[in-house]
Amino acid sequence: MVIKFKPTGDLDINTDPSALPGLVEGKNEVSGAMRRCTNLVLTSLGVAKTRDGSSKVNTSAVAQTDAHLLVEMADDRYLFAGTVLYKDEVSIATGLTSATWRGIQYNAWNDTTDTIFALNGTDTKRIDGSNVNEWGIAGPSSAATLGATGTGLTGDYNARYTYVRKVSATLVHESNPSDAASSAQTLSNQNLTVGVTASSDTQVTNIRIYRTLTDGGSYYFDQEVANTTATVTSSNADSALGTGIETNNHRPPAGSIVIGPSFDGFSFILTSNLLYFSKKNRPESWPSTYFIEVGPRQYPLKGAAFFNNVLFVMNQNEMFIIQGSGADSFFPFPIKTLTGALSQEAVAAAKGRGIYRVGNDGLYLFNGSVDEKVSETRFDPLFRGETVGNITGLNTSNVDNCFLIIFNNSLYFGYPSGSATYPDNVLVTNLSTNRAVHYDYSQTFRIITVDRTNKRLLAVDNSGFIWQLEDQSVTTDNSTAISWQIETKSFTDQLAKYFPRQVKYDVNLGTSASATGTILLDDSSHQTHTISTSRNTTKRLIATGNGDRLAVRMAGSGVVDIREIEVI
């Protein structure tokens, strides 16, 4: 009777080890099922290899270690941590509210500059380069003051003014207008004077003045002046006035989640159970009436994702598809899903697959029509907080700190284990094969992001360091050899209970790598073998003994290729 293991199956900590699949042929059994698979990858068929290493991006930690958000834009890293915003680990803004930040990358209206728009429930910021400004522009708090001078106009006139930001000669954003003067100015062959108050907001470049027609009540563009407190003369004839004034360029609401832009240029902000949306292609203009109510108020919105160019939003219990194409038609339609989402960080949309979410009791996937608890079959104990083998269970008290992210066709699920607050363990699932492995970096990572410019997976630890994960240029975790483990199913049906027996290990060892094979009888260690030579398949003696269940565990550190284990 021969037992063979090749790493061709799945990691499964839910099924009884003796019930894991195997192929029985006569007195022989072959299985690729695994009870442990830590810090190994299964991308090469029939081979388990040590995963890629990780390295610190910054040599010196940032002072603020309470990391909230990391965004890569135009090859620069923007880290919101504590009360500080860092660009490439150098402070560019201080005095911020220490809270969970979320952000999007877009460009202002009529501008091509790469820009981050970010918020945290209190602060709303617009970042380009090293410039940190308010997101949107607050309108003037002082009404225009009117007077008369010179000769020209006759009738009753009033005026309002706005603050604007221009890039070179191009208008990219305009605030809401000031109040009009309390009463119109009566002119008799005179010009109108308009007193304006400068904005203290450093992003404001100019002031725009809007005036009524003779005896009118609507306001039209009259002229543009520098951002200074001044008295400006309006002498244009009614026929020379320009476009009408806009009164709905409100600043964004102080929401907790922002997502966008959609394929047709809308940005969205979630706050409480309300979904706000901007003007099309204008991420700094948020009319006060541009929102819809999504679900009951007692269930605030927790996450959002685009899938197949459609927006889906979630509270903790259910998911909604946002139907419609604009301000007059957006409508939330509830979907019959098994659960909603716990946080924005625990939502990830995968092309061709669906929307993954972390729920209180597992990992869920909505494929556009059906919702499924995809973790139940193989990883259910983890979500009950149970430790199986070397895979520590989830700290269910901090399940809302989990993260999900897609990188290189794999789904990374980070979770806090044991008593941890933030993720210190990762399950990585290949989206093509659906095979999962377990990673342990011996680090806690608060946040994670994809550096799309350099095609890197970046994470921030608890000590102010940014790490590159899946770093193909290194084989260690910041110069520390990577420890790994793999364990077979428990073989029972074809097991000859009496020993001695023999075992062969087909393993390739990298420089300075170490490996040990352990024979497990009835879940207890029966024999260990030190493996020091690559691809040496010499038979190793298994000591006298007997048992009903046999499994083999291999563990070690460094770079290895594990190909086959055979018990004869």
Side-chain angles (χ1 to χ4, degrees), residues 117 165 175 224 238 303 309 324 329 343 349 374 377 403 415-416 422 439 445 468 470 495 515 527 534 567:
F117 297 95
R165 186 177 81 253
S175 75
E224 183 178 276
D238 288 354
N309 291 327
S329 60
S343 72
V374 293
T377 302
F403 64 69
Y415 69 93
Y422 293 96
Y439 284 3
F445 294 121
Q468 179 183 350
E470 302 289 19
L495 178 65
Q527 174 92 45
S534 294
V567 178

Side-chain angles (χ1 to χ4, degrees), residues 370-388:
V370 177
D371 199 26
E372 179 185 5
K373 186 180 176 183
V374 293
S375 61
E376 187 164 33
T377 302
R378 292 180 290 165
F379 297 105
D380 203 50
L382 186 152
F383 288 90
R384 296 196 300 267
E386 299 173 8
T387 295
V388 179

